[in-house]
């Protein structure tokens, strides 16, 4: 199990792989894939309602997430903390089952010969060597390379200084590969580390350790911001916080699945805009938050394009969404991002906004308007101007804002999605969380003049 770019939905989806080890083809029509997160939770099921043959000695991927309308897509998600998968045939007979421990992005879990354990992800091809481990801590100790270390901390450095970075790993005889363009370092595409790296311009450094008979390490990421006159003119050292995001460039720019381009898979949006950027696709990135020149947060998250007409602007608004299925395995962004709400330190999502319709004139206009009701016991959206980098390239100033979704209610009031009703008015009522029952009751009370509680 892991995440993989699904070319039917163009989402990085969770997946499982089925293998036909027999000598004849098997049609999976009528088979059911069941999943139970824990003994206390109910079993989720997906029954395959179309012909889905697997030839002998071949593989078939099934995806899990939002969509169940496409072939080989279940309409439920798998919990990265683990669970139990059960495959039953059309007659209701169990064909196979597998208990899943906690998962992580950089390692799969499955079978290799007579072993069941963690392994390198190899979707659609034969599994690599499996390492038996009871949990992630055991995996780190016995089967996975340690994450590399950098000799210099991420952050802002004076422009007259060049940096020399040494990379090391606690794993004996590990080979380290690195990139400086935001892309994922691999043994095939990364640069082998052989000597200290000199950095003379703003750079995102990523490194990963490899070793024979071990699973490759998680990725170490650090943004080194070498301030220059152009950057200083807008935000300066120690004046504004910095948001640095890094990802494989194709996730933003590829014509087929890039989320920041017009591309070749575009759909219509506001103001007659047409482009890939109108999709609600999410892409994995590393998010770094740098305050007073020092890195305060470094975490893998998912990003998604946001806005209406402004999606067509050169600098686009995005949401930053924490997710356990990302490499960090963290469900929250833990930091006090907004000085007017110092007690709010856990966020499920944030909004990096280009100013919307005020982009070309007064980017912070909406944030200023929200600030006028500070202290009035009325909900408002906090915001903070930041300097913005993508893959080490300076983009300009953006507004980091609270995201007015169910996550806003969580960070401000501590209530989860299943404890609230969240309704969006957009040519009708769009229920995001909960139901319309309480709202309809309120309207009925207002119309009839009744004011008794109930």
């Amino acid at each position: 199990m892991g995440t993989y770019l699904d070319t039917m939905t163009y989402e990085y989806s969770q997946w499982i792989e089925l293998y036909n080890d027999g000598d004849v083809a098997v049609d999976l029509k009528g088979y059911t894939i069941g999943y139970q997160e824990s003994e206390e939770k109910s079993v989720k099921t997906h029954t395959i309602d179309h012909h889905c043959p697997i030839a002998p000695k071949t593989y078939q991927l099934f995806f899990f997430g939002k969509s169940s309308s496409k072939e080989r897509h279940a309409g439920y998600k798998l919990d990265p903390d683990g669970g139990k998968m059960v495959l039953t045939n059309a007659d209701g007979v169990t064909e196979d089952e597998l208990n899943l421990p906690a998962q992580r992005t950089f390692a799969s879990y499955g079978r290799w010969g007579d072993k069941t354990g963690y392994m390198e992800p190899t979707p659609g091809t034969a599994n690599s060597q499996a390492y038996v481990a009871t949990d992630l801590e055991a995996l780190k100790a016995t089967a996975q390379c340690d994450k590399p270390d950098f000799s210099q901390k991420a952050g802002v450095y004076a422009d007259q200084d060049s940096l020399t970075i040494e990379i090391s790993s606690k794993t004996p005889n590990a080979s380290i590969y690195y990139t400086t363009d935001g892309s994922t370092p691999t043994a095939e595409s990364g640069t082998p580390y052989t000597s200290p790296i000199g950095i003379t311009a703003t750079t995102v450094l990523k490194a990963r350790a490899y070793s024979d008979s071990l699973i490759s390490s998680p990725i170490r990421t650090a943004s080194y911001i070498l301030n220059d006159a152009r950057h200083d003119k807008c935000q300066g050292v120690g004046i504004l916080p910095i948001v640095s995001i890094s990802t494989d460039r194709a996730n933003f720019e590829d014509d087929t699945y890039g989320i920041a381009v017009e591309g070749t898979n575009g759909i219509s949006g506001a103001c007659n805009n047409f482009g890939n950027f109108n999709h609600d696709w999410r892409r994995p990135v590393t998010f770094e938050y740098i305050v007073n020149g020092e890195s305060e947060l470094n975490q893998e998250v998912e990003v998604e394009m946001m806005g209406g007409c402004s999606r067509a602007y050169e600098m686009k608004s995005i949401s930053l969404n924490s997710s356990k299925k990302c490499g960090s395995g963290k469900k929250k962004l833990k930091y006090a991002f907004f000085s007017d709400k110092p007690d709010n330190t856990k966020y499920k999502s944030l909004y990096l906004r280009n100013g919307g319709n005020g982009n070309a004139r007064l980017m912070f206009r909406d944030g200023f308007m929200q600030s006028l009701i500070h202290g009035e016991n009325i909900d408002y959206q906090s915001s903070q101007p930041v300097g913005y980098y993508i893959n080490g390239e300076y983009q300009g100033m953006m507004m980091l804002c609270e995201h007015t979704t169910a996550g806003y209610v969580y960070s401000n009031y501590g209530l989860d999605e299943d404890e609230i009703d969240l309704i969006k008015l957009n040519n009708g009522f769009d229920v995001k969380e909960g139901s319309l029952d309480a709202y309809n009751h309120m309207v009925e009370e207002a119309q009839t003049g009744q004011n008794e509680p109930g």
Side-chain angles (χ1 to χ4, degrees), residues 176 178 191-196:
I176 299 173
Y178 71 91
T191 300
Y193 175 75
T194 58
S195 60

Side-chain angles (χ1 to χ4, degrees), residues 26-32 87-96:
V26 176
D27 189 351
L28 295 178
K29 183 177 181 180
Y31 277 57
T32 297
L87 179 69
T88 57
N89 64 25
D91 297 322
V93 178
T94 298
E95 293 281 354
D96 197 11

Side-chain angles (χ1 to χ4, degrees), residues 365-390:
R365 177 194 61 189
D366 292 347
F368 169 72
M369 296 296 288
Q370 293 276 340
S371 73
L372 295 178
I373 56 174
H374 288 191
E376 298 297 329
N377 199 27
I378 300 174
D379 277 315
Y380 65 92
Q381 182 185 40
S382 290
S383 60
Q384 164 70 54
V386 295
Y388 180 40
Y389 291 77
I390 300 177

